[in-house]
């Protein structure tokens, strides 16, 4: 790799603002905010709106929104 052209790859904490779920991982993103982690070190904090802890698909609360009867039309056409 060429020196000086790649972003800094470091440990950061991602926090889901809706569920307060936090995960420590590595990223090139940076932030002015920091948080003290369980190991006693401070890491940059990246706040996200949706994570696997709040996304309906991953939590099992996924619903099919059918406004024009498309699902019923499909079931009639292709069977149950």
């Amino acid at each position: 790799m060429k020196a000086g052209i790649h972003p800094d790859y470091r440990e950061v904490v991602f926090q889901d603002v809706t569920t307060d779920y936090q995960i420590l991982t590595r990223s090139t993103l940076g932030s002015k905010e920091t948080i003290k982690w369980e190991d006693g070190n401070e890491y940059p904090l990246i706040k996200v709106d949706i994570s696997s802890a709040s996304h309906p698909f991953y939590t099992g609360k996924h619903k099919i929104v059918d406004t024009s009867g498309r699902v019923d039309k499909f079931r009639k056409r292709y069977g149950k």
Side-chain angles (χ1 to χ4, degrees):
M1 289 193 321
K2 271 185 149 177
I5 62 168
H6 298 285
D8 189 25
Y9 187 63
R10 62 186 172 272
E11 292 183 326
V12 297
V13 175
F14 284 92
Q15 179 184 16
D16 186 341
V17 294
T18 57
T19 62
D20 289 330
Y21 173 73
Q22 299 174 349
I23 186 168
L24 176 67
T25 187
R26 296 180 59 91
S27 177
T28 58
L29 293 175
S31 175
K32 294 179 182 177
E33 294 183 72
T34 60
I35 189 169
K36 192 165 193 163
W37 192 246
E38 300 162 354
D39 60 3
N41 296 328
E42 284 199 15
Y43 298 104
L45 177 65
I46 310 291
K47 293 184 179 181
V48 294
D49 295 329
I50 297 177
S51 70
S52 62
S54 63
H55 194 280
F57 180 78
Y58 295 109
T59 59
K61 297 178 183 174
H62 183 71
K63 296 180 183 177
I64 296 175
V65 178
D66 185 26
T67 56
S68 63
R70 292 181 189 155
V71 174
D72 291 331
K73 288 178 188 177
F74 178 84
R75 287 183 179 156
K76 284 180 187 176
R77 186 178 296 166
Y78 298 107
K80 294 181 183 177

